[in-house]
Amino acid sequence: MDSGNVAWILASAALVCMMIPALALFYGGMVGSRRILNMMMMCFGGASLVAVLWALFGYSLAFGNSVGGLGLIGDVTEFPGLGQLMAEDAEASIPVALFAAFQLFFACVTTALVAGAAAGRMKFGAWMLFAGIWATIVYFPVAHWVFAFSSEDGSVTGGWIASGIEAIDFAGGTAVHMNAGAAALALALVLGKSSGWPKVEHAKPHSRPLVLVGAGLLWVGWFGFNAGSALSAGHSASVVFLNTAVAASAGLLAWALVERLRRGAATSMGAASGLISALVAITPACGAVSPLGAVAIGAIAGAVCSLAIELKYRLGYDDSLDVVGVHLVGGILGTLLIGLFATDAAPNGVSGLFYGGGVELLGVQSLATVTVLAYSFGITWVLAKTLDKTIGLRINPEDEMRGIDLAAHSELAYLTDEDPVELGSPQRA
């Protein structure tokens, strides 16, 4: 094992872990002051539950040898409890336990992303149950499709997207962003609109500085997310790191420019959203394109996603924090644009249409896109509908209007003299 590689993946895993509190800040600032604690708890709670499930059986489902060689799901009996990963493998480039920890945080972040579509109106207990089941029947299988590669000697069979059709997804455009975005759309449709939507006064962003801080921390964490996916501290990670940096910057500028032209001002919320949109889009493409291609993908994502967030008003679904407009649309763009901008000079070593590669790669990327979208949306809709009919998903209207924090967690983020004393807290003088 190379100690440099081990150190880099250790650092990358920590950076991806940081994306969980960063997302909580990003989402938390975008909701009303009496919804922030619930929003942050949905991120932390869902991520923590998924981490435990990952240790129990999730890693096996995602990275176990494919059942029947079909590339659909890993063998759940292969690594139960992850005890087998404690033994050192002299042939592995990094410890398998470290790889499992790195991928654990991908599962956690993906699940937390879905929470943005349910901000302020979903029971916390229902969310936790939904998060655990969703990770099990949606994320773990899709992660197997996309991230599990067959071994060179044929002893291990990987996922059908990674090793069957060989679509390119360097760090999770399909498994993470499109998957979360499609799930968020399904959950939002089943939950229904917030009271008073679209003009929900009590749900307006209460702290734009928090949004910017969260977005900035997400940007830093994304270097571990993308460059860490090279699984070594070498040339590939360096190219990916560079592509991630320039794409994010182009996305911020493109969103700001569209806002300036359409509305007369570039807003802080738009800048943060443009940054994240571009990071989403470059995630699958970061190992397949040149820096110039990364700038193009980032700029396209920033501009298109700034328009896509308005779809919820035209189509009538309440995607509270624009998970659909940013992660679903950005993930689709990044995955498909690989078919145009990929160059064989990049680490993935495959050329797209603009570099003489023809349309074959675009077709492969399209197949992966359509399949993941259909599976994630369909299974999530059935899951959400089932839970809604059995335990119920929505909080009562009074708690929704008052703000979910006190009702769900017996706390308020910001207390005033007019507020009721928190349950379980000492009486204030």
Side-chain angles (χ1 to χ4, degrees), residues 211-411:
V211 174
L212 288 171
V213 169
L217 291 174
L218 283 169
W219 191 1
V220 175
W222 230 291
F223 290 114
F225 199 90
N226 285 0
S229 293
L231 299 180
S232 65
H235 175 72
S236 293
S238 302
V239 172
V240 168
F241 199 106
L242 174 60
N243 284 345
T244 301
V246 297
S249 303
L252 186 152
L253 295 174
W255 191 303
L257 177 61
V258 170
E259 271 197 325
R260 180 69 176 83
L261 294 175
R262 298 185 71 214
R263 307 186 187 283
T267 67
S268 60
M269 291 285 286
S273 299
L275 179 76
I276 301 304
S277 298
L279 287 167
V280 168
I282 199 58
T283 293
C286 55
V289 301
S290 68
L292 186 59
V295 169
I297 289 174
I300 291 170
V304 173
C305 289
S306 69
L307 303 175
I309 62 171
E310 297 182 6
L311 287 175
K312 62 183 179 182
Y313 301 114
R314 296 184 181 182
L315 300 180
Y317 60 89
D318 181 6
D319 174 24
S320 307
L321 305 185
D322 296 319
V323 186
V324 176
V326 171
H327 293 276
L328 177 59
V329 175
I332 292 172
L333 287 171
T335 301
L336 295 181
L337 289 174
I338 292 171
L340 303 180
F341 290 101
T343 169
D344 59 7
N348 280 122
V350 180
S351 291
L353 182 62
F354 293 168
Y355 289 81
V359 297
E360 181 179 356
L361 179 57
L362 181 59
V364 169
Q365 298 300 114
S366 299
L367 176 59
T369 297
V370 171
T371 306
V372 171
L373 290 178
Y375 180 82
S376 180
F377 179 86
I379 299 299
T380 304
W381 190 90
V382 172
L383 170 60
K385 202 70 175 177
T386 301
L387 291 178
D388 191 41
K389 294 295 185 182
T390 52
I391 64 172
L393 297 180
R394 289 287 291 260
I395 62 172
N396 65 59
E398 293 78 14
D399 289 333
E400 185 178 338
M401 293 299 295
R402 187 166 56 242
I404 192 174
D405 286 355
L406 192 60
H409 307 289
S410 298
E411 296 175 304

Side-chain angles (χ1 to χ4, degrees), residues 147-167:
F147 292 145
F149 289 87
S150 299
S151 60
E152 293 183 0
D153 62 6
S155 60
V156 176
T157 302
W160 72 272
I161 289 180
S163 299
I165 64 173
E166 297 184 351

Side-chain angles (χ1 to χ4, degrees), residues 1-318:
M1 294 184 185
D2 186 300
S3 60
N5 291 341
V6 174
W8 168 237
I9 305 307
L10 283 168
S12 294
L15 286 170
V16 181
C17 179
M18 187 187 70
M19 295 176 77
I20 298 168
L23 182 66
L25 289 171
F26 180 69
Y27 276 175
M30 293 174 69
V31 299
S33 62
R34 293 176 178 244
R35 294 179 166 196
I36 178 175
L37 295 180
N38 177 254
M39 190 69 260
M40 298 182 81
M41 281 290 289
M42 290 176 80
C43 293
F44 281 106
S48 298
L49 175 60
V50 170
V52 173
L53 298 180
W54 185 258
L56 294 176
F57 56 80
Y59 179 76
S60 289
L61 289 177
F63 291 100
N65 195 9
S66 189
V67 175
L70 299 175
L72 298 177
I73 194 68
D75 184 357
V76 72
T77 67
E78 192 166 351
F79 305 105
L82 303 186
Q84 301 91 326
L85 305 190
M86 296 178 67
E88 185 173 356
D89 184 352
E91 298 182 0
S93 59
I94 61 172
V96 181
L98 176 54
F99 175 76
F102 179 64
Q103 283 291 334
L104 176 152
F105 292 120
F106 277 61
C108 295
V109 170
T110 306
T111 305
L113 285 172
V114 181
R121 64 191 192 279
M122 186 174 184
K123 297 175 183 176
F124 183 68
W127 160 252
M128 292 296 289
L129 183 59
F130 170 88
I133 299 174
W134 183 84
T136 301
I137 65 176
V138 179
Y139 180 78
F140 298 157
V142 174
H144 181 74
W145 301 355
V146 177
F147 292 145
F149 289 87
S150 299
S151 60
E152 293 183 0
D153 62 6
S155 60
V156 176
T157 302
W160 72 272
I161 289 180
S163 299
I165 64 173
E166 297 184 351
I168 295 175
D169 186 352
F170 197 88
T174 51
V176 176
H177 298 292
M178 277 196 289
N179 195 3
L185 177 58
L187 180 59
L189 290 174
V190 174
L191 269 175
K193 304 168 187 175
S194 299
S195 300
W197 190 88
K199 296 181 179 180
V200 187
E201 294 298 324
H202 59 277
K204 287 184 176 180
H206 85 284
S207 178
R208 286 166 173 79
L210 275 187
V211 174
L212 288 171
V213 169
L217 291 174
L218 283 169
W219 191 1
V220 175
W222 230 291
F223 290 114
F225 199 90
N226 285 0
S229 293
L231 299 180
S232 65
H235 175 72
S236 293
S238 302
V239 172
V240 168
F241 199 106
L242 174 60
N243 284 345
T244 301
V246 297
S249 303
L252 186 152
L253 295 174
W255 191 303
L257 177 61
V258 170
E259 271 197 325
R260 180 69 176 83
L261 294 175
R262 298 185 71 214
R263 307 186 187 283
T267 67
S268 60
M269 291 285 286
S273 299
L275 179 76
I276 301 304
S277 298
L279 287 167
V280 168
I282 199 58
T283 293
C286 55
V289 301
S290 68
L292 186 59
V295 169
I297 289 174
I300 291 170
V304 173
C305 289
S306 69
L307 303 175
I309 62 171
E310 297 182 6
L311 287 175
K312 62 183 179 182
Y313 301 114
R314 296 184 181 182
L315 300 180
Y317 60 89
D318 181 6

